[in-house]
Amino acid sequence: MPQVHFQAATAADDADLRQLLRDNPMQQGGFTLSFRREPTYFDACSVLGQSAEVFIGRDSQTGALAGVGARYRFPAYLNGQAQDIVYLADLRVANRYRNSIHLRRAYQFLRQRHAEDPAAVYTSMILQDNRAALDTIAAQRAGLPPYHHQGIIHTPLILLGWQKPAIAAACSIRRASLADWSAIVAFLNRENARYQFAPVYHESDLHNGRLRGLQPENILIAEANGEIVGTLAIWQQSAFRQIHVDAYHGAWRLIRPVYNALARFTPLAALPDAGAALKYAYLSLIAVQNDDLAIFRALLRQAYRASHGTGLHYLIAALHERHPLRAALADYTSIPSGGHLFSVQFEREPYPLDDRVPYIDAATI
């Protein structure tokens, strides 16, 4: 059996890391998807955490890249208080190294890093159709840390088809400007404190890489009586993160030709060829005062209208199954997608979490 040595990744590993992502797609519904990072693996790290630690496993004899994983540290709200948490993500393992021994050694490495650089809480997401990960990593296997299920995160791909009329609400909606940024940060932090794992933002995040590719004018703000009552950003990350549809399965193999024939005569966006990239933007910075569903519906409709005719095919949102705003997503035709959210325990006693609804931003997973 090959021996694998774990170490921190460097720029010299970049090409191998990107190849590993291309070669290890994931099944999600009727699609096989690969989550890629071109032209460099590391450009996307800043949006996933204020600090990033990417670790790799290499075959001690051949030097082949066996796998990758990452710890992304960022400030978030736990029970309403700001603390640093770590998001465990980007786990990919090359086929010939997928066995329990290497997995246990990888988590031993993570335990060591936790001892050296602890965090109050770790979170992680596993796609709903990733049975291999759910049956191993999240199944309380011996030698692996306990994964505590925190619910389902729904991440539908909203299809940008026919244009839709605006929705009226007790607010006005406009694009933000740089002058609004400090007020947006204050609003986001006030609203995010009501949710578990929701990020804490700082004014410097607009320029330090944490919001790479996002400009103030990409943020829609809802206002009432001169105050911000809602925010929603349209965040394109294709310059450094991409999703490719590597294959279609089941009914989608039959649906796609018919759907694309219809798309030639309608505003529907054609489904990409196998191997091609999706054209999408994330719906990010979702916050609404008092969780007012009418205001969120108006913001979401404005984001849909603003994205129409821009070349985008989909908008991707993320809301927890218990999130009070999730009902608005059902107003749109979408391709279902989602994953299981976990908190991961490295200490003997897990961090006590209250019953706040978890919030995960689609653009940072």
Side-chain angles (χ1 to χ4, degrees), residues 7-48:
Q7 62 195 55
T10 70
D13 302 305
D14 185 71
D16 286 346
L17 285 167
R18 290 184 287 114
Q19 187 66 50
L20 185 68
L21 294 184
R22 291 193 295 268
D23 292 346
N24 288 269
M26 297 184 179
Q27 183 83 24
Q28 180 74 340
F31 310 91
T32 297
L33 305 175
S34 56
F35 298 87
R36 306 188 187 187
R37 297 187 183 181
E38 303 291 346
T40 172
Y41 182 92
F42 295 98
D43 273 358
C45 290
S46 64
V47 306
L48 300 179

mmCIF file of all heavy atoms in Angstrom, residues 7-48:
data_model
loop_
_atom_site.group_PDB
_atom_site.id
_atom_site.type_symbol
_atom_site.label_atom_id
_atom_site.label_comp_id
_atom_site.label_asym_id
_atom_site.label_seq_id
_atom_site.Cartn_x
_atom_site.Cartn_y
_atom_site.Cartn_z
ATOM 1 N N GLN A 7 1.300 17.620 4.110
ATOM 2 C CA GLN A 7 2.068 18.846 4.267
ATOM 3 C C GLN A 7 1.253 20.023 3.750
ATOM 4 O O GLN A 7 0.224 19.847 3.090
ATOM 5 C CB GLN A 7 3.369 18.750 3.468
ATOM 6 C CG GLN A 7 3.129 18.594 1.961
ATOM 7 C CD GLN A 7 4.364 18.153 1.216
ATOM 8 O OE1 GLN A 7 4.976 17.138 1.532
ATOM 9 N NE2 GLN A 7 4.741 18.934 0.201
ATOM 10 N N ALA A 8 1.713 21.234 4.071
ATOM 11 C CA ALA A 8 1.058 22.436 3.566
ATOM 12 C C ALA A 8 1.333 22.585 2.071
ATOM 13 O O ALA A 8 2.439 22.320 1.594
ATOM 14 C CB ALA A 8 1.564 23.662 4.315
ATOM 15 N N ALA A 9 0.298 23.012 1.335
ATOM 16 C CA ALA A 9 0.458 23.240 -0.100
ATOM 17 C C ALA A 9 1.171 24.560 -0.352
ATOM 18 O O ALA A 9 1.064 25.512 0.434
ATOM 19 C CB ALA A 9 -0.898 23.243 -0.784
ATOM 20 N N THR A 10 1.883 24.625 -1.463
ATOM 21 C CA THR A 10 2.551 25.850 -1.886
ATOM 22 C C THR A 10 2.216 26.128 -3.343
ATOM 23 O O THR A 10 1.567 25.321 -4.021
ATOM 24 C CB THR A 10 4.084 25.723 -1.739
ATOM 25 O OG1 THR A 10 4.573 24.795 -2.724
ATOM 26 C CG2 THR A 10 4.467 25.236 -0.348
ATOM 27 N N ALA A 11 2.681 27.263 -3.833
ATOM 28 C CA ALA A 11 2.431 27.630 -5.222
ATOM 29 C C ALA A 11 2.973 26.580 -6.189
ATOM 30 O O ALA A 11 2.448 26.417 -7.297
ATOM 31 C CB ALA A 11 3.052 28.993 -5.518
ATOM 32 N N ALA A 12 4.000 25.833 -5.776
ATOM 33 C CA ALA A 12 4.567 24.797 -6.647
ATOM 34 C C ALA A 12 3.588 23.652 -6.877
ATOM 35 O O ALA A 12 3.741 22.883 -7.829
ATOM 36 C CB ALA A 12 5.863 24.263 -6.033
ATOM 37 N N ASP A 13 2.563 23.537 -6.021
ATOM 38 C CA ASP A 13 1.564 22.473 -6.151
ATOM 39 C C ASP A 13 0.366 22.886 -7.002
ATOM 40 O O ASP A 13 -0.548 22.086 -7.209
ATOM 41 C CB ASP A 13 1.054 22.067 -4.758
ATOM 42 C CG ASP A 13 2.159 21.595 -3.842
ATOM 43 O OD1 ASP A 13 2.878 20.670 -4.234
ATOM 44 O OD2 ASP A 13 2.300 22.158 -2.733
ATOM 45 N N ASP A 14 0.360 24.111 -7.494
ATOM 46 C CA ASP A 14 -0.840 24.678 -8.117
ATOM 47 C C ASP A 14 -1.361 23.837 -9.290
ATOM 48 O O ASP A 14 -2.554 23.516 -9.355
ATOM 49 C CB ASP A 14 -0.567 26.113 -8.571
ATOM 50 C CG ASP A 14 -1.802 26.790 -9.116
ATOM 51 O OD1 ASP A 14 -2.702 27.107 -8.320
ATOM 52 O OD2 ASP A 14 -1.893 26.970 -10.346
ATOM 53 N N ALA A 15 -0.514 23.483 -10.210
ATOM 54 C CA ALA A 15 -0.962 22.736 -11.396
ATOM 55 C C ALA A 15 -1.547 21.384 -10.997
ATOM 56 O O ALA A 15 -2.582 20.964 -11.535
ATOM 57 C CB ALA A 15 0.193 22.556 -12.374
ATOM 58 N N ASP A 16 -0.904 20.699 -10.059
ATOM 59 C CA ASP A 16 -1.418 19.398 -9.607
ATOM 60 C C ASP A 16 -2.764 19.551 -8.908
ATOM 61 O O ASP A 16 -3.651 18.695 -9.052
ATOM 62 C CB ASP A 16 -0.420 18.734 -8.664
ATOM 63 C CG ASP A 16 0.805 18.183 -9.385
ATOM 64 O OD1 ASP A 16 0.766 18.077 -10.621
ATOM 65 O OD2 ASP A 16 1.788 17.845 -8.700
ATOM 66 N N LEU A 17 -2.923 20.606 -8.145
ATOM 67 C CA LEU A 17 -4.189 20.837 -7.443
ATOM 68 C C LEU A 17 -5.325 21.062 -8.440
ATOM 69 O O LEU A 17 -6.413 20.497 -8.295
ATOM 70 C CB LEU A 17 -4.058 22.049 -6.512
ATOM 71 C CG LEU A 17 -3.261 21.820 -5.229
ATOM 72 C CD1 LEU A 17 -2.940 23.149 -4.556
ATOM 73 C CD2 LEU A 17 -4.032 20.924 -4.277
ATOM 74 N N ARG A 18 -5.074 21.863 -9.445
ATOM 75 C CA ARG A 18 -6.115 22.135 -10.430
ATOM 76 C C ARG A 18 -6.458 20.878 -11.226
ATOM 77 O O ARG A 18 -7.622 20.641 -11.556
ATOM 78 C CB ARG A 18 -5.686 23.278 -11.348
ATOM 79 C CG ARG A 18 -5.674 24.623 -10.620
ATOM 80 C CD ARG A 18 -5.344 25.788 -11.537
ATOM 81 N NE ARG A 18 -3.951 25.801 -11.914
ATOM 82 C CZ ARG A 18 -3.487 25.613 -13.135
ATOM 83 N NH1 ARG A 18 -4.330 25.360 -14.129
ATOM 84 N NH2 ARG A 18 -2.183 25.659 -13.390
ATOM 85 N N GLN A 19 -5.453 20.043 -11.506
ATOM 86 C CA GLN A 19 -5.709 18.790 -12.202
ATOM 87 C C GLN A 19 -6.534 17.848 -11.334
ATOM 88 O O GLN A 19 -7.439 17.158 -11.826
ATOM 89 C CB GLN A 19 -4.384 18.122 -12.572
ATOM 90 C CG GLN A 19 -4.546 16.879 -13.447
ATOM 91 C CD GLN A 19 -5.093 17.209 -14.825
ATOM 92 O OE1 GLN A 19 -4.574 18.106 -15.497
ATOM 93 N NE2 GLN A 19 -6.134 16.505 -15.250
ATOM 94 N N LEU A 20 -6.266 17.819 -10.040
ATOM 95 C CA LEU A 20 -7.029 16.959 -9.135
ATOM 96 C C LEU A 20 -8.500 17.363 -9.127
ATOM 97 O O LEU A 20 -9.387 16.492 -9.114
ATOM 98 C CB LEU A 20 -6.449 17.049 -7.717
ATOM 99 C CG LEU A 20 -7.060 16.106 -6.680
ATOM 100 C CD1 LEU A 20 -6.717 14.657 -6.999
ATOM 101 C CD2 LEU A 20 -6.581 16.478 -5.278
ATOM 102 N N LEU A 21 -8.797 18.658 -9.142
ATOM 103 C CA LEU A 21 -10.190 19.114 -9.195
ATOM 104 C C LEU A 21 -10.856 18.692 -10.498
ATOM 105 O O LEU A 21 -12.008 18.261 -10.504
ATOM 106 C CB LEU A 21 -10.254 20.639 -9.045
ATOM 107 C CG LEU A 21 -9.816 21.232 -7.712
ATOM 108 C CD1 LEU A 21 -10.049 22.737 -7.711
ATOM 109 C CD2 LEU A 21 -10.546 20.590 -6.538
ATOM 110 N N ARG A 22 -10.140 18.814 -11.598
ATOM 111 C CA ARG A 22 -10.713 18.426 -12.890
ATOM 112 C C ARG A 22 -10.984 16.924 -12.957
ATOM 113 O O ARG A 22 -11.966 16.494 -13.574
ATOM 114 C CB ARG A 22 -9.776 18.845 -14.027
ATOM 115 C CG ARG A 22 -9.672 20.344 -14.228
ATOM 116 C CD ARG A 22 -8.991 20.678 -15.547
ATOM 117 N NE ARG A 22 -7.595 20.249 -15.572
ATOM 118 C CZ ARG A 22 -6.564 21.016 -15.217
ATOM 119 N NH1 ARG A 22 -6.782 22.249 -14.771
ATOM 120 N NH2 ARG A 22 -5.317 20.564 -15.293
ATOM 121 N N ASP A 23 -10.109 16.141 -12.326
ATOM 122 C CA ASP A 23 -10.201 14.686 -12.434
ATOM 123 C C ASP A 23 -11.129 14.048 -11.407
ATOM 124 O O ASP A 23 -11.347 12.830 -11.455
ATOM 125 C CB ASP A 23 -8.807 14.064 -12.278
ATOM 126 C CG ASP A 23 -7.891 14.380 -13.438
ATOM 127 O OD1 ASP A 23 -8.391 14.840 -14.487
ATOM 128 O OD2 ASP A 23 -6.661 14.191 -13.298
ATOM 129 N N ASN A 24 -11.673 14.831 -10.478
ATOM 130 C CA ASN A 24 -12.501 14.275 -9.410
ATOM 131 C C ASN A 24 -13.828 15.019 -9.302
ATOM 132 O O ASN A 24 -14.078 15.749 -8.337
ATOM 133 C CB ASN A 24 -11.751 14.317 -8.077
ATOM 134 C CG ASN A 24 -10.631 13.307 -8.016
ATOM 135 O OD1 ASN A 24 -10.822 12.177 -7.584
ATOM 136 N ND2 ASN A 24 -9.453 13.706 -8.477
ATOM 137 N N PRO A 25 -14.715 14.842 -10.305
ATOM 138 C CA PRO A 25 -16.030 15.479 -10.268
ATOM 139 C C PRO A 25 -16.932 14.821 -9.225
ATOM 140 O O PRO A 25 -16.590 13.773 -8.657
ATOM 141 C CB PRO A 25 -16.562 15.264 -11.681
ATOM 142 C CG PRO A 25 -15.899 14.000 -12.131
ATOM 143 C CD PRO A 25 -14.526 14.012 -11.515
ATOM 144 N N MET A 26 -18.089 15.453 -8.993
ATOM 145 C CA MET A 26 -19.044 14.953 -8.006
ATOM 146 C C MET A 26 -20.413 14.796 -8.641
ATOM 147 O O MET A 26 -20.801 15.585 -9.507
ATOM 148 C CB MET A 26 -19.144 15.923 -6.821
ATOM 149 C CG MET A 26 -17.868 16.093 -6.038
ATOM 150 S SD MET A 26 -18.115 17.167 -4.607
ATOM 151 C CE MET A 26 -16.477 17.142 -3.892
ATOM 152 N N GLN A 27 -21.140 13.787 -8.192
ATOM 153 C CA GLN A 27 -22.512 13.561 -8.651
ATOM 154 C C GLN A 27 -23.454 14.456 -7.861
ATOM 155 O O GLN A 27 -23.384 14.527 -6.637
ATOM 156 C CB GLN A 27 -22.902 12.103 -8.443
ATOM 157 C CG GLN A 27 -24.280 11.741 -8.956
ATOM 158 C CD GLN A 27 -24.277 11.436 -10.443
ATOM 159 O OE1 GLN A 27 -23.248 11.064 -10.990
ATOM 160 N NE2 GLN A 27 -25.405 11.572 -11.081
ATOM 161 N N GLN A 28 -24.323 15.177 -8.548
ATOM 162 C CA GLN A 28 -25.338 16.004 -7.907
ATOM 163 C C GLN A 28 -26.597 15.931 -8.753
ATOM 164 O O GLN A 28 -26.658 16.502 -9.845
ATOM 165 C CB GLN A 28 -24.863 17.456 -7.748
ATOM 166 C CG GLN A 28 -25.865 18.388 -7.082
ATOM 167 C CD GLN A 28 -25.980 18.150 -5.590
ATOM 168 O OE1 GLN A 28 -25.623 17.096 -5.092
ATOM 169 N NE2 GLN A 28 -26.486 19.107 -4.854
ATOM 170 N N GLY A 29 -27.595 15.195 -8.250
ATOM 171 C CA GLY A 29 -28.808 15.018 -9.021
ATOM 172 C C GLY A 29 -28.501 14.278 -10.315
ATOM 173 O O GLY A 29 -27.835 13.252 -10.328
ATOM 174 N N GLY A 30 -28.977 14.822 -11.447
ATOM 175 C CA GLY A 30 -28.751 14.194 -12.739
ATOM 176 C C GLY A 30 -27.503 14.675 -13.438
ATOM 177 O O GLY A 30 -27.382 14.519 -14.656
ATOM 178 N N PHE A 31 -26.557 15.249 -12.671
ATOM 179 C CA PHE A 31 -25.368 15.834 -13.276
ATOM 180 C C PHE A 31 -24.108 15.323 -12.580
ATOM 181 O O PHE A 31 -24.117 15.024 -11.386
ATOM 182 C CB PHE A 31 -25.382 17.360 -13.156
ATOM 183 C CG PHE A 31 -26.663 18.000 -13.609
ATOM 184 C CD1 PHE A 31 -27.695 18.224 -12.705
ATOM 185 C CD2 PHE A 31 -26.849 18.367 -14.929
ATOM 186 C CE1 PHE A 31 -28.878 18.802 -13.105
ATOM 187 C CE2 PHE A 31 -28.036 18.949 -15.340
ATOM 188 C CZ PHE A 31 -29.050 19.162 -14.434
ATOM 189 N N THR A 32 -23.038 15.261 -13.326
ATOM 190 C CA THR A 32 -21.709 15.122 -12.749
ATOM 191 C C THR A 32 -21.033 16.476 -12.901
ATOM 192 O O THR A 32 -20.889 16.983 -14.021
ATOM 193 C CB THR A 32 -20.887 14.034 -13.457
ATOM 194 O OG1 THR A 32 -21.530 12.773 -13.262
ATOM 195 C CG2 THR A 32 -19.488 13.967 -12.886
ATOM 196 N N LEU A 33 -20.644 17.062 -11.777
ATOM 197 C CA LEU A 33 -20.109 18.419 -11.763
ATOM 198 C C LEU A 33 -18.665 18.402 -11.275
ATOM 199 O O LEU A 33 -18.314 17.662 -10.358
ATOM 200 C CB LEU A 33 -20.936 19.317 -10.837
ATOM 201 C CG LEU A 33 -22.435 19.410 -11.094
ATOM 202 C CD1 LEU A 33 -23.103 20.248 -10.014
ATOM 203 C CD2 LEU A 33 -22.707 20.001 -12.470
ATOM 204 N N SER A 34 -17.843 19.233 -11.884
ATOM 205 C CA SER A 34 -16.493 19.459 -11.360
ATOM 206 C C SER A 34 -16.379 20.927 -10.960
ATOM 207 O O SER A 34 -16.777 21.822 -11.707
ATOM 208 C CB SER A 34 -15.419 19.088 -12.387
ATOM 209 O OG SER A 34 -15.594 19.786 -13.601
ATOM 210 N N PHE A 35 -15.856 21.140 -9.759
ATOM 211 C CA PHE A 35 -15.711 22.486 -9.200
ATOM 212 C C PHE A 35 -14.252 22.886 -9.373
ATOM 213 O O PHE A 35 -13.367 22.381 -8.683
ATOM 214 C CB PHE A 35 -16.131 22.486 -7.732
ATOM 215 C CG PHE A 35 -17.576 22.107 -7.535
ATOM 216 C CD1 PHE A 35 -17.953 20.774 -7.423
ATOM 217 C CD2 PHE A 35 -18.566 23.075 -7.485
ATOM 218 C CE1 PHE A 35 -19.284 20.412 -7.254
ATOM 219 C CE2 PHE A 35 -19.896 22.729 -7.318
ATOM 220 C CZ PHE A 35 -20.261 21.394 -7.201
ATOM 221 N N ARG A 36 -14.024 23.796 -10.295
ATOM 222 C CA ARG A 36 -12.657 24.078 -10.736
ATOM 223 C C ARG A 36 -12.200 25.455 -10.278
ATOM 224 O O ARG A 36 -13.012 26.327 -9.916
ATOM 225 C CB ARG A 36 -12.569 23.971 -12.261
ATOM 226 C CG ARG A 36 -13.087 22.642 -12.788
ATOM 227 C CD ARG A 36 -12.802 22.481 -14.256
ATOM 228 N NE ARG A 36 -13.445 21.291 -14.819
ATOM 229 C CZ ARG A 36 -13.254 20.846 -16.036
ATOM 230 N NH1 ARG A 36 -12.444 21.506 -16.855
ATOM 231 N NH2 ARG A 36 -13.890 19.761 -16.467
ATOM 232 N N ARG A 37 -10.884 25.644 -10.324
ATOM 233 C CA ARG A 37 -10.267 26.934 -9.985
ATOM 234 C C ARG A 37 -9.194 27.244 -11.015
ATOM 235 O O ARG A 37 -8.061 26.768 -10.914
ATOM 236 C CB ARG A 37 -9.654 26.882 -8.588
ATOM 237 C CG ARG A 37 -10.675 26.653 -7.486
ATOM 238 C CD ARG A 37 -10.005 26.777 -6.142
ATOM 239 N NE ARG A 37 -10.922 26.507 -5.058
ATOM 240 C CZ ARG A 37 -10.594 26.564 -3.779
ATOM 241 N NH1 ARG A 37 -9.362 26.892 -3.441
ATOM 242 N NH2 ARG A 37 -11.479 26.298 -2.846
ATOM 243 N N GLU A 38 -9.586 28.000 -11.989
ATOM 244 C CA GLU A 38 -8.650 28.426 -13.019
ATOM 245 C C GLU A 38 -8.616 29.961 -13.027
ATOM 246 O O GLU A 38 -9.627 30.602 -12.785
ATOM 247 C CB GLU A 38 -9.107 27.906 -14.395
ATOM 248 C CG GLU A 38 -9.272 26.383 -14.492
ATOM 249 C CD GLU A 38 -7.964 25.620 -14.418
ATOM 250 O OE1 GLU A 38 -6.890 26.252 -14.562
ATOM 251 O OE2 GLU A 38 -8.005 24.403 -14.215
ATOM 252 N N PRO A 39 -7.479 30.584 -13.267
ATOM 253 C CA PRO A 39 -6.229 29.982 -13.732
ATOM 254 C C PRO A 39 -5.301 29.520 -12.603
ATOM 255 O O PRO A 39 -4.256 28.932 -12.885
ATOM 256 C CB PRO A 39 -5.580 31.128 -14.498
ATOM 257 C CG PRO A 39 -6.035 32.356 -13.761
ATOM 258 C CD PRO A 39 -7.445 32.056 -13.316
ATOM 259 N N THR A 40 -5.651 29.787 -11.333
ATOM 260 C CA THR A 40 -4.823 29.322 -10.235
ATOM 261 C C THR A 40 -5.699 28.874 -9.084
ATOM 262 O O THR A 40 -6.750 29.477 -8.816
ATOM 263 C CB THR A 40 -3.835 30.415 -9.757
ATOM 264 O OG1 THR A 40 -3.184 29.974 -8.552
ATOM 265 C CG2 THR A 40 -4.551 31.713 -9.455
ATOM 266 N N TYR A 41 -5.312 27.821 -8.416
ATOM 267 C CA TYR A 41 -6.094 27.260 -7.316
ATOM 268 C C TYR A 41 -6.254 28.266 -6.182
ATOM 269 O O TYR A 41 -7.315 28.361 -5.563
ATOM 270 C CB TYR A 41 -5.391 26.006 -6.796
ATOM 271 C CG TYR A 41 -6.116 25.299 -5.676
ATOM 272 C CD1 TYR A 41 -7.011 24.276 -5.945
ATOM 273 C CD2 TYR A 41 -5.911 25.654 -4.349
ATOM 274 C CE1 TYR A 41 -7.682 23.621 -4.928
ATOM 275 C CE2 TYR A 41 -6.571 25.014 -3.320
ATOM 276 C CZ TYR A 41 -7.460 24.006 -3.614
ATOM 277 O OH TYR A 41 -8.126 23.368 -2.604
ATOM 278 N N PHE A 42 -5.224 29.039 -5.911
ATOM 279 C CA PHE A 42 -5.170 29.802 -4.672
ATOM 280 C C PHE A 42 -5.940 31.117 -4.712
ATOM 281 O O PHE A 42 -6.235 31.686 -3.662
ATOM 282 C CB PHE A 42 -3.711 30.053 -4.283
ATOM 283 C CG PHE A 42 -2.971 28.787 -3.945
ATOM 284 C CD1 PHE A 42 -2.168 28.169 -4.902
ATOM 285 C CD2 PHE A 42 -3.084 28.199 -2.700
ATOM 286 C CE1 PHE A 42 -1.496 26.995 -4.606
ATOM 287 C CE2 PHE A 42 -2.418 27.031 -2.397
ATOM 288 C CZ PHE A 42 -1.619 26.420 -3.349
ATOM 289 N N ASP A 43 -6.294 31.620 -5.906
ATOM 290 C CA ASP A 43 -7.018 32.891 -5.971
ATOM 291 C C ASP A 43 -8.370 32.818 -5.264
ATOM 292 O O ASP A 43 -8.849 33.816 -4.723
ATOM 293 C CB ASP A 43 -7.228 33.309 -7.431
ATOM 294 C CG ASP A 43 -6.056 34.098 -7.979
ATOM 295 O OD1 ASP A 43 -5.098 34.347 -7.216
ATOM 296 O OD2 ASP A 43 -6.083 34.454 -9.169
ATOM 297 N N ALA A 44 -9.014 31.662 -5.277
ATOM 298 C CA ALA A 44 -10.338 31.531 -4.679
ATOM 299 C C ALA A 44 -10.286 31.408 -3.161
ATOM 300 O O ALA A 44 -11.318 31.559 -2.498
ATOM 301 C CB ALA A 44 -11.057 30.321 -5.259
ATOM 302 N N CYS A 45 -9.121 31.124 -2.607
ATOM 303 C CA CYS A 45 -9.042 30.851 -1.167
ATOM 304 C C CYS A 45 -9.480 32.041 -0.323
ATOM 305 O O CYS A 45 -10.071 31.866 0.745
ATOM 306 C CB CYS A 45 -7.619 30.443 -0.794
ATOM 307 S SG CYS A 45 -7.133 28.810 -1.420
ATOM 308 N N SER A 46 -9.212 33.247 -0.790
ATOM 309 C CA SER A 46 -9.514 34.420 0.032
ATOM 310 C C SER A 46 -11.007 34.634 0.236
ATOM 311 O O SER A 46 -11.418 35.250 1.226
ATOM 312 C CB SER A 46 -8.898 35.676 -0.588
ATOM 313 O OG SER A 46 -9.476 35.959 -1.853
ATOM 314 N N VAL A 47 -11.861 34.130 -0.679
ATOM 315 C CA VAL A 47 -13.305 34.323 -0.501
ATOM 316 C C VAL A 47 -13.892 33.278 0.441
ATOM 317 O O VAL A 47 -15.014 33.432 0.920
ATOM 318 C CB VAL A 47 -14.072 34.312 -1.842
ATOM 319 C CG1 VAL A 47 -13.482 35.317 -2.813
ATOM 320 C CG2 VAL A 47 -14.125 32.928 -2.448
ATOM 321 N N LEU A 48 -13.150 32.204 0.700
ATOM 322 C CA LEU A 48 -13.639 31.148 1.579
ATOM 323 C C LEU A 48 -13.240 31.380 3.032
ATOM 324 O O LEU A 48 -13.834 30.790 3.941
ATOM 325 C CB LEU A 48 -13.123 29.789 1.108
ATOM 326 C CG LEU A 48 -13.547 29.382 -0.309
ATOM 327 C CD1 LEU A 48 -12.962 28.031 -0.672
ATOM 328 C CD2 LEU A 48 -15.052 29.349 -0.440
#
